[in-house]
Amino acid sequence: METYLFLTSVVGVYIGIGVFVVGMAWRIYQWSTTPKSPVKLGLFPKPATATGRGAKMLKDTFIAPHSARIEPVMWLFAFAFHVAALAAFVGHGRLVVEYTPLVQLLGSDGMRTFAAWSGGTAGIVMMVAVLYWIARRTYGPFKQLSVPEDYFLLFLLLGIIVMGNHMRFLGHVSAETYREWFQSLLVFRPVIPAEISGSNVGWSLGTHMLFVNVLFVYFPFSKLVHTIGAFSANLVRSE
Amino acid sequence: METQAINTLTGVIDKKMTRQLKQYLDICARCAICKDACHQYVATGDFTYLPARRAELIRQIYKKYFTKAGEFVPALYEARDPDENLLDELYESTYACTGCRRCMYYCPFSIDTAWILSAAKAILIAAGKGNEMLGQLADAALMKSDNFEMFKDVIIDGFKDVEGKLKELTGDPSAEIPVDKEGADVLYVALAGAHSILPAAAIFHEAGTNWTLSMFESANYGYFFGDAEKARRIADRFMDEAKRLGVKEVVITECGHAYRVAQFFHEAWSGEKHPFKVRHILEVIDEYIKDGRITLRPGAITEPITYHDPCQVGRNGGIFEQPRDIVRAVATDFRDMTPNRAEQWCCGGGGGLVAIAEMEEFRLKSGAKKLEQIKATGARIIASPCENCRLQMEGLNDQLDLGITVKPVMDLVLDAMDLPR
């Protein structure tokens, strides 16, 4: 268990974050150094001012109102997934630093309850959305259009979410303990607390991290770069 | 596949590579939300016409030859060579696309499939698989300008015939169709054929506009063919004329793609700013009506009438309200289609499809959604400012014997003008 955790939750994290940062920087560099076509590809109606275009770009990116109209069910799952993923991301911020003002507001018991409910909901919502996406890719034109990358990413996400949910719902390791592990990575003096390796979630943290690291390594080379590209592509729409 | 052939085709992608294209190829999630946006996919259920699939064929080449990940693990992306199989499917899906960009409208990332397909067309042309008919029509247009002295007299004679009709129509023996007139305010660029000249001439005459008629037609088969260089040279024919005559504005006739080429593409292609404005004839006519420069009999048309937004005029051209205002000025029973404006369904006739004989059956089949919309309005007249749209909707009408009349908007204006005829 110690070796597994050392590989996935120490070494792997460094590799994952390293490749992710360099890969995304490379991707953005490539995009920004490819000359933009002077042909304006905007669709009408479009805002007349730069502020209006910026606002429309943000709305199109975060809300995607047009997609909502044409396939509401898909939109609902996609929207729910992205909101839940954002919530989960913010929640994981507690690994870096405790949200002290929130703890002061809710009390430490209140914070635990809040984290259990919000984290649990996000985990379930993401799991349901990913299962929906997998199911959607098993038939008709969706299946025909899918390539191995699509399934690979979905199963990777599913693995991450299921392992995360296992820790959330079945584990008894506190946020403080996880934070101790993660902060030790940040100061390059990695420690895996015995409370984790000795618990029922040692292997689920290891597997969670294994999948996360693979996702981070693959991210810059996958269609997931839409997380950044969607902004500029949606801006082109209003030009 | 031979290395040299691959290099030629990937070289084309390299030349066409822009930031927009690169991002579109990198970010598509293959969510297929676009499938219900495409009239061709909806009407046929054929995977070939699913917008993301059309783009995916280019993405497969891109992944293999332009990305490290695709080079190392091609199977992950189904990355492959631009071989005969791929090129054949690419031909099918690319030249069928009308470029309506309805898929872009609904895409959460606003991926412009038509922009990706412009790279596809360049690849097909480089592989010797460009659409023959569209290529010939483009070359014919350039032949006309390259050997202009040979054609000039015939063209001017043709205009004289139309001028005779104009005199009859307006009852004014001094009415004329000015050609090659220096110092004119407006250069009007029509299509081949009197139908796009006569109504505009009568309207310009009535409004007292100082105008001149272009010797060249606005239609641009170089654009449909997918050769940007030829497309630019075809548009240069009247753009250079406009510069030479020193006009204040170039007015494009009721045509979709020609308007878009003149208004949005030509400056980018030529790298020069136009020293004149570009407007669509319906913007001009709407202004004449609102300024009282032409008077119309309100209620000249009592039959139910609807308006079809051509993709290149509406969603891609930004002209939505002026044509509707014109129709409302002459008709008592205007009924809009649902959906309309930016969300309007493509009629199926764009992209040069009406010029390709072997596409006819498919083209009419792909008009299913438009047909549904038209029937739902109960209109007896359809007004639309695009020749391709009109030909397609006439085809739909004939096929089912609907008894609907399809008209250019300016014909309605002509019908409502007080002319001795």
Side-chain angles (χ1 to χ4, degrees):
Chain A
M1 182 57 73
E2 273 76 17
T3 318
Y4 185 49
L5 282 174
F6 179 72
L7 289 176
T8 59
S9 310
V10 175
V11 180
V13 177
Y14 290 128
I15 297 172
I17 291 176
V19 174
F20 177 81
V21 169
V22 173
M24 288 309 278
W26 173 243
R27 171 77 31 185
I28 293 165
Y29 173 78
Q30 273 192 325
W31 282 343
S32 54
T33 52
T34 306
K36 206 170 166 205
S37 166
V39 175
K40 289 198 177 8
L41 300 180
L43 286 176
F44 291 90
K46 59 189 168 195
T49 62
T51 322
R53 283 194 289 276
K56 180 167 164 52
M57 177 271 281
L58 292 175
K59 185 177 161 197
D60 288 344
T61 308
F62 288 113
I63 315 280
H66 314 99
S67 311
R69 263 210 299 292
I70 199 164
E71 205 186 331
V73 177
M74 169 65 177
W75 179 88
L76 196 69
F77 279 101
F79 191 74
F81 174 86
H82 285 88
V83 170
L86 182 66
F89 181 78
V90 171
H92 280 72
R94 286 183 79 201
L95 288 172
V96 179
V97 59
E98 176 62 298
Y99 297 148
T100 314
L102 201 60
V103 180
Q104 281 166 353
L105 190 73
L106 301 172
S108 60
D109 279 350
M111 184 68 184
R112 244 193 309 280
T113 314
F114 173 68
W117 276 97
S118 56
T121 308
I124 296 294
V125 167
M126 282 195 288
M127 191 171 75
V128 170
V130 169
L131 287 171
Y132 165 78
W133 280 338
I134 292 172
R136 191 167 171 272
R137 287 199 186 271
T138 58
Y139 71 97
F142 309 110
K143 183 180 177 181
Q144 277 177 290
L145 189 63
S146 300
V147 305
E149 178 192 15
D150 302 324
Y151 300 108
F152 174 64
L153 285 172
L154 285 173
F155 281 104
L156 204 54
L157 282 174
L158 187 66
I160 293 169
I161 296 161
V162 167
M163 289 300 124
N165 285 347
H166 183 262
M167 284 184 278
R168 165 60 60 204
F169 293 118
L170 301 174
H172 300 288
V173 177
S174 69
E176 287 72 27
T177 313
Y178 286 122
R179 183 157 55 242
E180 194 188 326
W181 154 67
F182 201 78
Q183 282 182 340
S184 77
L185 295 181
L186 294 178
V187 295
F188 299 101
R189 277 190 212 113
V191 178
I192 292 168
E195 273 172 78
I196 296 177
S197 47
S199 79
N200 66 330
V201 293
W203 68 272
S204 47
L205 173 69
T207 312
H208 182 72
M209 290 315 295
L210 174 68
F211 291 154
V212 167
N213 299 334
V214 174
L215 183 76
F216 269 50
V217 166
Y218 183 50
F219 200 107
F221 312 101
S222 74
K223 62 179 188 175
L224 297 182
V225 293
H226 72 246
T227 42
I228 296 182
F231 292 92
S232 44
N234 275 327
L235 194 59
V236 168
R237 180 202 188 104
S238 308
E239 277 174 357
Chain B
M1 232 191 133
E2 264 180 73
T3 321
Q4 204 190 335
I6 294 172
N7 287 346
T8 309
L9 301 185
T10 53
V12 173
I13 300 182
D14 204 28
K15 238 178 107 186
K16 291 291 269 186
M17 191 54 78
T18 54
R19 188 182 306 164
Q20 292 96 326
L21 179 63
K22 201 169 184 57
Q23 291 199 324
Y24 293 154
L25 292 175
D26 282 332
I27 67 178
C28 175
R30 285 174 291 271
C31 71
I33 272 182
C34 51
K35 85 179 167 55
D36 295 327
C38 178
H39 62 288
Q40 293 178 344
Y41 179 77
V42 169
T44 63
D46 186 335
F47 184 53
T48 311
Y49 307 116
L50 199 154
R53 172 61 183 177
R54 303 187 210 231
E56 191 64 19
L57 293 169
I58 296 299
R59 191 169 292 109
Q60 289 174 340
I61 309 171
Y62 168 78
K63 282 288 180 188
K64 181 151 181 185
Y65 290 99
F66 292 83
T67 70
K68 285 280 167 239
E71 195 186 320
F72 290 134
V73 213
L76 195 55
Y77 308 94
E78 292 182 359
R80 57 177 172 146
D81 283 341
D83 58 13
E84 290 293 310
N85 288 336
L86 186 143
L87 291 177
D88 287 347
E89 194 189 337
L90 193 64
Y91 179 89
E92 241 348 88
S93 60
T94 299
Y95 278 108
C97 175
T98 59
C100 77
R101 304 206 301 164
R102 203 168 183 266
C103 49
M104 179 182 183
Y105 182 84
Y106 289 103
C107 174
F109 311 147
S110 307
I111 292 175
D112 184 355
T113 311
W115 186 248
I116 302 175
L117 295 188
S118 67
K121 285 185 179 178
I123 292 172
L124 288 165
I125 291 169
K129 287 175 186 286
N131 180 276
E132 249 175 68
M133 178 50 86
L134 298 178
Q136 282 169 11
L137 289 166
D139 289 341
L142 288 172
M143 218 237 327
K144 180 175 160 185
S145 50
D146 290 346
N147 305 281
F148 188 60
E149 288 309 313
M150 211 165 88
F151 294 97
K152 194 173 175 181
D153 293 343
V154 183
I155 293 167
I156 291 176
D157 278 355
F159 291 164
K160 285 286 162 214
D161 289 347
V162 185
E163 191 174 85
K165 286 184 197 142
L166 178 69
K167 291 182 201 294
E168 250 172 66
L169 185 68
T170 55
D172 180 354
S174 71
E176 56 170 3
I177 292 184
V179 179
D180 217 13
K181 182 177 167 189
E182 273 179 51
D185 293 332
V186 167
L187 176 73
Y188 176 65
V189 194
L191 292 169
H195 67 290
S196 72
I197 301 173
L198 191 57
I203 292 164
F204 284 136
H205 176 75
E206 174 84 8
T209 306
N210 176 17
W211 72 292
T212 185
L213 178 64
S214 172
M215 307 253 207
F216 298 99
E217 71 287 351
S218 60
N220 195 324
Y221 285 95
Y223 171 69
F224 290 144
F225 181 54
D227 185 325
E229 174 63 17
K230 281 183 183 165
R232 179 189 57 78
R233 284 172 52 211
I234 291 170
D236 275 350
R237 300 179 311 162
F238 59 81
M239 292 298 187
D240 289 347
E241 191 182 16
K243 271 188 258 175
R244 182 168 53 82
L245 299 176
V247 297
K248 293 191 186 108
E249 72 178 324
V250 166
V251 173
I252 305 290
T253 191
E254 294 198 25
C255 175
H257 75 284
Y259 172 67
R260 190 155 166 238
V261 163
Q263 182 75 290
F264 302 106
F265 292 160
H266 187 261
E267 281 186 339
W269 286 341
S270 62
E272 273 176 48
K273 270 221 138 327
H274 294 151
F276 42 75
K277 270 204 307 191
V278 173
R279 279 202 291 173
H280 191 268
I281 182 73
L282 294 188
E283 294 179 276
V284 176
I285 295 175
D286 180 54
E287 187 184 274
Y288 288 169
I289 296 171
K290 285 169 185 164
D291 290 351
R293 285 175 68 178
I294 54 173
T295 34
L296 305 174
R297 279 176 289 120
I301 295 156
T302 50
E303 277 188 295
I305 181 168
T306 188
Y307 173 74
H308 164 71
D309 288 283
C311 306
Q312 310 301 355
V313 173
R315 182 164 47 240
N316 299 329
I319 300 171
F320 296 112
E321 302 311 322
Q322 297 92 330
R324 286 179 168 79
D325 288 351
I326 297 172
V327 173
R328 284 200 194 93
V330 298
T332 50
D333 189 1
F334 173 66
R335 304 170 181 188
D336 231 331
M337 291 190 222
T338 318
N340 55 55
R341 294 179 174 82
E343 294 185 354
Q344 143 284 79
W345 280 100
C346 173
C347 67
L353 263 64
V354 291
I356 307 171
E358 63 270 23
M359 286 272 193
E360 191 183 357
E361 199 190 325
F362 167 76
R363 169 167 64 78
L364 291 172
K365 193 176 173 192
S366 77
K369 271 286 164 191
K370 190 86 259 165
L371 201 58
E372 220 174 83
Q373 278 189 290
I374 294 169
K375 282 186 188 162
T377 62
R380 306 311 298 159
I381 306 170
I382 307 170
S384 193
C386 165
E387 184 115 321
N388 286 336
C389 296
R390 288 195 298 270
L391 289 167
Q392 164 75 349
M393 291 189 293
E394 272 165 15
L396 294 171
N397 178 53
D398 294 347
Q399 197 182 34
L400 293 157
D401 233 345
L402 298 173
I404 293 171
T405 317
V406 185
K407 282 188 161 195
V409 178
M410 56 186 177
D411 278 19
L412 304 174
V413 175
L414 200 63
D415 289 347
M417 277 163 64
D418 268 320
L419 296 168
R421 277 160 230 277

